[in-house]
Structure formats: structure tokens, C-alpha cells
Amino acid sequence: MLRTTLAGLRAYRLRLLLTSLAITLGVGFIAGTFVLTDTVRAGFSQRVTAEADKVGVAVLPKGERSSLPVRLLERVRAVPGVLDAQGLVRGKAPLLGKDGRAVGDLATTAISIVPGPLDRATIVSGTGPGSDDRTAVLDKNTARTHGFRVGDTITVLDSGRREHRFRLVGLLDPGVDQELAYTGALGFTTATAQRMTGEKGFHEIDVAGADPARLKQAVAAVAGPGVEVLTGEELAADLASRAGVQMEALTVALLMFGLVAMLVAALVIYNTFNILVAQRTRELALLRCIGATRGQVFGSILIESVVVGLVSAVLGLLAGYGLGAVTLRVLTALEAPLPTDAPVTLSAPAIVAGLTIGLLVTVGAALLPARTATHVAPIAALRTQAEQRTFRAGLLRVLSAALFLLAGLGTAAVGALVMPPGQQVSLVVVMGGGVLTFLGVLIIGPVLVKPLSALVGWIPRKLFGVPGRLAVDNAGRNPRRAATTTVALTIGVTLMTLISVVTASTRVTVADKLDEQFPIDYLLVTQERDASIPRSVGESLRGRPELTSVVQIRDTRAGVGGHRVEVGTFSGPISPDVTAGAMGDLGPGQVAIAAPTAQRLGVRAGDTVAVRTKAAGTVSLEVVALFGGESPLPALTVAEPEFDRYFGAVPDSRVLINAADGVPADRARGVVDAAVAGHPTIKVSSSTEVRGQFDETLDMMLLIITGLLGLAILISLLGIANTLSLSVHERTRESALLRALGLTGAQLRRMLSVEALVLGLIGALVGVALGGVFGWAAIRAMLDGAVFSAPLGQIALFVALSGLAGVLAAVLPARRAARASIVESLTTG
Amino acid sequence: MTLTETRRQAPPAVVARALTKIYGQGDARVHALRGVDVAFATGAFTAIMGPSGSGKSTLMHCLAGLDTATSGTVHVGDVELTGLSDKRLTLLRRERIGFVFQAFNLLPTLTAEQNIRLPLEIAARQADQVLFDRVIETVGLADRLGHRPAELSGGQQQRVAVARALISKPQVIFADEPTGNLDSRSGAEVLSFLRASVRELGQTIVMVTHDPVAAAYADRVVFLRDGELVSDLAAPTPQSVLDTLMRLEG
């Protein structure tokens, strides 16, 4: 029996090729994900280990404490066995770009680069600062984006906002330190770093010495409580696991797409095996006639699927290795802030996962077809012509589909309409409804195929004459097969439509909210939250005729009960969206609170809150109003004179500016820019810029997700090609008959193309409908006050591309059909 | 002048000259046809007979433009088939040739009527309603037109196939073992119907068969053996056909 199965596999290898390709692609993606993340992780740990190897023991602040006192360094140096100890300084020091303004949204982080064996910095070009206090090094990415080269003079602000100039002597690789990679990094001598950042203590003390374990005990003894002492190895593990958490999130996200691809592949496999079993009815019946048991028939189909699964999973692993290697190359070329230089490896877990998933999906998908095969009666061997399979919509099918659809749509409606929006649980409920609905569609699919193909095929029927009409009939000829084929495509199109509806709606909703609650043209903020805008800036703008309103907002943090909250005030015209009470003019002893903060503090309008102030002790304030959380006002807003009394002179944290009507944007902007000219760390952002950045982020996300879903779509197209080529094979004699009756080769090709077009369009239309509905539900569940927006252009594009892709999938099968010899097909088919 | 006499004087519907067909290469070369010269009269019912492997099906495929001969010429009416492109051959089949095969004559997705009209629709020609009604009446399928092939008996399916071949008024109909899959009664029905279409509609039919009874329905039987035309029998009876076969095999 095994020999028969293997012989069968050899005979059908071409037909199984496309099937294996589906699994190969899915497994390839999953394996590629592992290769990518494993390699990056290996890169991280290599670097971390290389860095930590230099360190015998590291002393770190623990808990509340954010730095280590300077005198601790002296105590550590005095510990017997310590060869060297260095304190590492880390703090903010804004680098000024060539335009004289601070670079980036956050201030550059300055670090000390220590001399001797404890130097952990990776200098990629030039040298370190050595002991020269007039030199600095800069991380390579910041240097590249802002056009600095070794030998240039750079200007950096110290903690008192004074400018200092340094000669750039080298470029630094921030390595695995995500903070440095994000803010940009400047490296100085320890003394300079202390001077520039104004940091009083150390961020870390590194100790060199033999026997880390004993050293750790000795250092811990002098360090006292509130610090953590780690050996170099422990430090490496700590750093690596922090990097590992990020990689884990990336792995999980990528694997989600891999699983979608595998789901689609499973449908393709299921369909292929079903068709193969149907086509081999006589062969299977013959086996039964000559004594094969049902179990043997079942086993032979299963063995076939095992072989297909294994072969394609192995190919998938190879493909994944290549995919991972190529992606790493691309990331290296793009200079992504990830270590991509570790040797590319296919780890054992990746191999096991790839093989297991590939095998399970293939065999799992072949189970039902194998069971069908056991139902072939021996007598079928004697029938001359395979009987036409008719499909009737059974009552059970319709009922269960209706049940799933009702439950799914109902659940989604509850999630979207009844549950509170903006909470994860609502979204989960909507997605649960989506899965149920999808199952319903899967069940009802075969019933829908006929009417849908009539609908979709209306134009091709008119347009392509006899081939068109035959094609539309053929598309609906085997409803089960057509349904499975198209559902594979539906999955991809549904997800794509859903994502594009969600992004479009998010865009519109956020734009609306920005307009409504944040109607400002320019916003002034500083790089650091605690640093601030001198009041004079806002005051100088206030009188300008080009501007209509200037709102200055000041805030600070204060204790309220057990919480630390933002307490502040404002001057200028602003009217927040009051949800309870009345704000009017805040008087002494009154406070307005942002609704989310009020909820957190557990207070309502009319209650009183006790605020610990800096200058006036603990004051008791009456809550007179609650306002919406999107308002730019501080969470606890008090009247201006009261704020001054409570907290003394506090500079502005934000300034909101509106240009006067009719003033050209560049003139208004000029006025604002002039006002901040002397303050390089103040950032001016305009609402159009904010919106533009937001749009860019959304577009990028859409692009990436669409790209990743592309794999699922590709696999489903393989499914269409596969179904079609198996159908072509099945209809060899039919095609030959048509050719004999005078259908030209071109007409036969067109017929198959139209059939594929119809299948593609059905899949796409169902997907668009599902994606639209669930996109709406998802956005309702995700955002409060969501505005629905369907990007019709994009959706039409999805439909058109699906149709086109279907036609492309038909190219090869159609060519084979048109080229087949009529005489041979008539006699042997 | 009678109808028959007019037909006798008309040029032959199909003519083959020095037709050879060689399959394979080297040691595997098979001479399926070794220089066949034959003409099929317009308005006549001719049967091609011969033992298995005699080349009768190959001859029919070459005459019908389904297969290309290795050398020699075939004329259907005034058109020479030799050297025509696949597209021209297809158009020629569409316009001038009708087919009835042994099995699998009908598209399973179409009804009987749709199957009958299919050649006209492929050629984008209008059906001659008078002819259609007459054909339907002759084959006795009036109440079966809405059925699909799976709902028809074997004999009914073959009658639909014959009706389909007739409807486009082709210059010649090629029938390849049209009764091969039928019981004798259904076979007799189909054969009578073929003969009737020659007598009443003036149709030209060339039929390949190995059944002497079927061949006896024809006006003339030509015999092939090893790719050569070996005998030609006019006004055959089952007995005379059988005798000729015995002589050829013996």
C-alpha cells in the first residue's frame, strides 16, 4: 500500500507542487521570522556580552533612587580586590543642529566615556574623547541625519542652557541601548559630562577586578541599601532580557501574520486534496475492488499529506533562512538601529516550529478529504463516467450558517454599540464576533457561490460571448470547491479592507477631534517636560496683530492623596469641553479636573481635594467642573493668581497660538519663529505638521500591514491557480470537445481567465463586505466618538487587483489547456 | 433529375490524396497511414471500417482537421487543410464540420438545447429555427430539451450530439463510433437517424465503426488495414460487410 501511495505521489507530483508551494510560503514566513529575530537577539547578546565582559561588577541604583552618590565611587575604589572603578554619567544635553535649534523631539543624552579597561563605548570611526575636555563623540545616526562629520565643531547646551562648543573626534555606536538610539547620544569625558548634564551622581558604577562573585559581595557590603550590585554576567543577562522583551513583541506580531498565511494555506491544501480525491475516485475504487480496506485508503491519503507536508516544510525552512538573510541585509543597508551582524542561524526551535506547523497544517487539512476517500464504493471503479456532483443547500447547513452569522454579527454589534468604546475588551468582543461571522460565511459559502457568480459574471457574460457564459457556469459548477477557493482569498481581502477602513476612520476621527478640541495653529513645547518656556516668549507674542489668541499653560506636579498629578493654570482664551459642573471663572479655592484624572482620584464635581503645594502647604480645593481628557489644560486646573500663590514662579510648559484670519501661514510662522529664536530648545509645531506626521505614521503602518498580508493573498492566489489547473485537468475532454466544435485556443484561454476572474471577484467582494462591516465595528470599539470612513478608492483597488490576480493565476493552466492536443485529449481523457 | 443524381454529380465533400501519418521516431516509428487516396461523395453516408490499429480513427482525425497528416493533402470542399494554422483549422471546423464522438459529446453544465445550439453560438451564427424544429422533431427530443446530460440516457445523449452536429448544416459530419457505448436498440435508433439525415436533409456523413451492422446503414463502406485502403463496398449489407472483413483478416 505504501508503495502504491509513493507511486501515486510521483505521478501527481506536478499537481502537488502548487499545493506544497502554499505550505512552503507559510512555513518560510514563520521560519524567516525566527531567523530574523533569533539573529537580532544573538546580535544583542553578543554585544551585551562583549560590553559586560569588561565589567567585573556593576553597581546600579535600585527602586526610587535614580542615581548613585559620587562618594560611593571612592568607597568602592577602596574595596580590596578592586582594580579600577568608574562612575558613569548620563543626562540630558541638547545638541544644536546646523540651524541653531535643538535636534530631535527629545534632548540628546550625554554619557561619560571612561578611560582604561572599563571603557564600554563602541567607537566606529575616529577616536574617543580621551581626557580632552574640549572634544566629544556623537552617535552615528544623529551625525548622519544632521550632517555632522568627524572634525566638525558642534554646539551643545548645558543644563543652564548655555552654549558650549566641542570638536567632534569620533562617532559612536549606541549598541543595544534603546534610550541612546532613540534620543541620540553624545559622549564626553566624565568631567565634561558632569558639567554639561549637571548630574550630581552616577547612573552606574563599573568595577574591574578578578573573581566577580567575591567582588560582588565585597562591593555590596560597602554599597549599602538602595543599590543593586550585579556581576558582569548578570548585567549582560539583564540587558539582554530587556532587549529580548522587545524582540518577543516583534516575533509575536510577525507570527500572527504567519498564522494567517498558514490558515489560508490550510484551506488551499484542503481544497487540493478534496479535488485529488474526487479525481481519483476510480483509482481508489479499483484499490477497494482488489482488497484495500477503508483504513488503508485513509492511510494512503494521509501518508501522501505527510510527505507533502514534510517536503514543503523543509523547503519552507530553506526559504525562511533565505528570507531572513535577505531581510537582515536590507535592514543593514537601511542602517536600522538593530544588530544585524550576527551570523544568520536557523535555530533548533525554529526548525521544530516550522516542521511541526507545516506538517500539522497539511495533515490536518487532508483529514476530511481522506475521510471522503474512504466513502468511495468499490463499484465506482466500474462506472464509465465520473458522476456529476450535485450540491444542494441542506437545511442543516443553512440553519447552522444562520446561527453563526447571527451570533457573530450580534456579538460584534454588542462590542461596537453597547460596550464602552476605547477599551480593549470591546475590541476583543468585536473580533470574536468577526471569527464567528467568518465561520458562518465559510459554512454558507457553497450556497452563495451560484448567486454571486451570476451577479459578478453578469458583465463578462455579456462581454465575452460563449466563452464568457461557459466560464461563469463553470465558476459555479462545483460550489463547494469554488467556495473554499474563494474563501482563501476572502481572508486576505477581509483583513486588508478592515485595516484600511480602520486607518481611514482613525485619520478622520483624529482630524475631527483635533479641529474640535485643539483648534490651534501653533504649539510651543520644549524638549523636556520639566524644562520650560520663559514667560516672556508668550507675552511677547500676545500683542502681535498677526495672532488672535495666545494661551500660556503652566503646570507642575503635586501630591493629591497618594497620587502625583499635574496641577496647573492657564492664561488666555480657552474653553474646554465641560462634562460636569461649570467652569466659568475659577475662583480661589476652586479647581477644575480632567475627567480621566477625576476618575483615577475618585472625585466628582462638588467634592473637595487636598493638594500639597510647594509654597502654601496643603490646600483644600472644591471641584467645580470636570472637563474632557483631550483638552490641553493641566489635569487639575486652578486660577492663575492661586497657582502663583501655591507654587511660586513657574515658567510656561506650553503655549497655544492661533493666527488671525487672513494672515498668510508663513507670516504667522515667521512671527512665532522670531519669538523663539533665542531659545533653541523650544519646539514650534503647527497643526498641519502634527497631522502630517500622524498621517505619515498611519500610512506607514498601513503599508507594512498590507505588505505582510500580501503573503496570505499570494497563497490564496496559488489556491486559485491550483483549483483551476486541477479543474482544467478534470475537464480535459470537455475542453477538447469545445475545441473540436470550433472554439479557438484564444477563446478557451479567455474562458478560463474569466472563470478565474469571477472566482477572484467573488472572494474579493465577500472580503470587502466583511472587512467593511468589521472595520466599522472595530473602529467603534476602539475610539470614542469614532467617525466611520471607507476609503472607496483603496477598496475598489483591492477588488480590481483581486480580479486581476485571479486572471494572472489562470495564465498557466489556461495555456496548458489551450495547447493540449485535441485528439489525445478526446481519446485518453 | 432526382436528388440522388444531383448529389452524385456534385464534387466530393472530402478528398484525401496520398495521405500518410507517422507517429514517433526511430525504432518507435509507427506508420498509421501509408498513402491513403479516398474521396467522400456529397450527400452520401460512408462508413470507414477496419480492425483495431488499422488507422481508421487516425484517418478520420486527419480528414476532420483535428490532427495534421505527415504528408499528402486533404480537401474539405474547396479548402485544402494541409498547412492551415491552428486558428484557421478551428474556424474551418466551426463552419464546415460536425462531430459525433463515441462518448463525452456534451457539456455537462449545459441543457440539451444549449448543447445543440452551442456550435452556432461559438460561431456567433443565428440558428435556422425551421431547421432546428425539424431536427428536434426528427430526433424526438422535444420534451427533453431542458434536461442536462446527466438526466438523459446514453441513447438520448447521442441523439442530442447528432442534432448538435446537424444544426450548423456542416459540409460533412464525422462520427467516431457513435454507437460504441450504446445498447443495440439505442444504437439502431441513432443509426437510423443518421441515415435519415442523409436521405432527408442531404447531409454528408463519414462514420468510423468496427460494427458490421452499423456499417450496413451506410451507402458505402471503405476498408482499411495497416494504414492502407484495401477494399471499397457499395450498398453494403451486414453479411457482405462481414464477408469482406473475414476475407481481409483471413
Side-chain angles (χ1 to χ4, degrees), chain A residues 360-438:
Chain A
L360 280 185
V361 167
T362 318
V363 176
L367 276 179
L368 276 178
R371 211 177 72 96
T372 316
T374 62
H375 293 174
V376 171
I379 192 74
L382 307 175
R383 289 189 198 128
T384 46
Q385 204 173 329
E387 66 220 276
Q388 200 59 30
R389 272 165 199 273
T390 48
F391 176 84
R392 282 203 189 80
L395 189 63
L396 189 68
R397 177 181 291 270
V398 174
L399 277 181
S400 57
L403 209 65
F404 271 108
L405 287 176
L406 277 179
L409 292 173
T411 311
V414 167
L417 300 173
V418 181
M419 295 180 72
Q423 306 215 343
Q424 200 151 20
V425 61
S426 313
L427 188 61
V428 170
V429 167
V430 166
M431 289 302 138
V435 171
L436 287 178
T437 310
F438 188 78

Side-chain angles (χ1 to χ4, degrees), chain A residues 385 388 466 469-470 473-474 477 733-734 737-747 821-823 826-827, chain B residues 61 66-67 86-87 90-91 93-94 99 101 103-110 114 118 121-122 150 164:
Chain A
Q385 204 173 329
Q388 200 59 30
V466 178
R469 223 185 62 204
L470 290 173
D473 284 349
N474 282 337
R477 180 165 170 179
R733 294 177 75 174
E734 205 174 304
L737 176 68
L738 281 167
R739 294 275 288 124
L741 291 180
L743 204 68
T744 61
Q747 282 178 313
S821 146
I822 304 174
V823 172
L826 277 175
T827 46
Chain B
H61 290 149
L66 291 175
D67 206 349
D86 178 72
K87 169 121 193 189
T90 305
L91 295 180
R93 283 199 302 271
R94 193 190 270 187
F99 288 99
F101 298 109
F104 206 87
N105 266 303
L106 307 177
L107 286 196
T109 49
L110 302 182
Q114 284 169 334
L118 187 61
E121 288 186 1
I122 290 176
R164 181 193 59 208

Side-chain angles (χ1 to χ4, degrees), chain A residues 784-810:
Chain A
D784 193 5
V787 183
F788 176 74
S789 162
L792 292 178
Q794 261 173 34
I795 291 176
L797 190 69
F798 291 156
V799 175
L801 285 180
S802 304
L804 184 71
V807 171
L808 279 181

Side-chain angles (χ1 to χ4, degrees), chain A residues 2-353:
Chain A
L2 183 65
R3 206 183 305 157
T4 323
T5 308
L6 295 181
L9 268 173
R10 269 198 298 281
Y12 291 110
R13 64 180 178 272
L14 258 178
R15 288 191 225 170
L16 289 170
L17 189 75
L18 281 168
T19 320
S20 0
L21 208 51
I23 290 290
T24 300
L25 285 177
V27 170
F29 186 85
I30 290 174
T33 300
F34 278 115
V35 168
L36 180 68
T37 53
D38 283 350
T39 307
V40 170
R41 208 181 305 225
F44 270 131
S45 73
Q46 264 181 14
R47 293 204 185 186
V48 163
T49 315
E51 275 189 32
D53 264 356
K54 297 177 178 167
V55 177
V57 166
V59 184
L60 298 164
K62 194 163 76 178
E64 293 272 307
R65 213 160 168 180
S66 62
S67 70
L68 302 166
V70 174
R71 60 181 186 283
L72 179 60
L73 179 62
E74 294 313 316
R75 289 217 301 275
V76 169
R77 277 188 174 150
V79 171
V82 170
L83 299 178
D84 188 10
Q86 294 285 348
L88 305 185
V89 179
R90 174 182 288 227
K92 290 163 189 157
L95 168 72
L96 298 192
K98 292 194 164 164
D99 59 356
R101 306 206 61 81
V103 304
D105 288 335
L106 292 172
T108 326
T109 303
I111 56 169
S112 59
I113 294 181
V114 301
L118 286 171
D119 174 14
R120 281 161 56 187
T122 316
I123 303 292
V124 288
S125 80
T127 62
S131 58
D132 188 344
D133 287 335
R134 288 161 307 168
T135 59
V137 295
L138 182 61
D139 76 278
K140 54 179 186 176
N141 284 328
T142 310
R144 196 188 55 228
T145 39
H146 294 279
F148 290 118
R149 270 187 269 170
V150 172
D152 287 357
T153 298
I154 57 171
T155 308
V156 183
L157 298 183
D158 66 13
S159 54
R161 299 283 171 273
R162 284 178 298 270
E163 295 186 0
H164 296 262
R165 281 173 224 292
F166 297 91
R167 193 160 50 82
L168 192 59
V169 293
L171 297 182
L172 174 83
D173 182 349
V176 299
D177 194 317
Q178 296 295 306
E179 185 193 359
L180 296 188
Y182 187 60
T183 64
L186 280 163
F188 298 111
T189 62
T190 306
T192 311
Q194 279 170 324
R195 192 159 48 89
M196 292 299 294
T197 59
E199 292 288 335
K200 298 282 180 289
F202 294 123
H203 160 75
E204 181 179 332
I205 293 173
D206 285 352
V207 183
D211 196 353
R214 193 181 305 161
L215 203 56
K216 177 179 168 178
Q217 276 186 330
V219 171
V222 302
V227 302
E228 192 175 14
V229 182
L230 300 174
T231 63
E233 257 173 60
E234 288 164 347
L235 178 68
D238 196 43
L239 292 174
S241 78
R242 247 178 281 164
V245 170
Q246 294 170 346
M247 290 314 292
E248 211 116 292
L250 177 67
T251 312
V252 168
L254 286 175
L255 284 182
M256 291 293 280
F257 288 98
L259 290 182
V260 169
M262 286 312 281
L263 175 65
V264 173
L267 282 169
V268 171
I269 304 279
Y270 166 75
N271 217 21
T272 309
F273 272 90
N274 248 339
I275 300 173
L276 288 180
V277 165
Q279 289 180 352
R280 277 153 62 188
T281 303
R282 286 177 70 183
E283 189 182 314
L284 294 168
L286 185 64
L287 284 174
R288 293 296 313 282
C289 275
I290 58 176
T293 63
R294 277 173 197 268
Q296 279 173 315
V297 168
F298 185 77
S300 90
I301 304 278
L302 233 46
I303 287 171
E304 201 169 308
S305 72
V306 167
V307 173
V308 170
L310 265 183
V311 169
S312 16
V314 169
L315 289 177
L317 288 178
L318 294 177
Y321 182 82
L323 184 71
V326 168
T327 312
L328 285 166
R329 277 279 172 81
V330 171
L331 287 176
T332 312
L334 293 176
E335 303 206 22
L338 289 171
T340 52
D341 47 359
V344 181
T345 43
L346 195 56
S347 64
I351 294 175
V352 171

Side-chain angles (χ1 to χ4, degrees), chain A residues 551-577:
Chain A
V551 178
Q552 290 163 274
I553 292 175
R554 293 185 281 159
D555 56 45
T556 182
R557 298 191 83 77
V560 175
H563 303 274
R564 299 226 14 115
V565 294
E566 192 183 52
V567 181
T569 187
F570 66 97
S571 61
I574 188 167
S575 44
D577 174 19

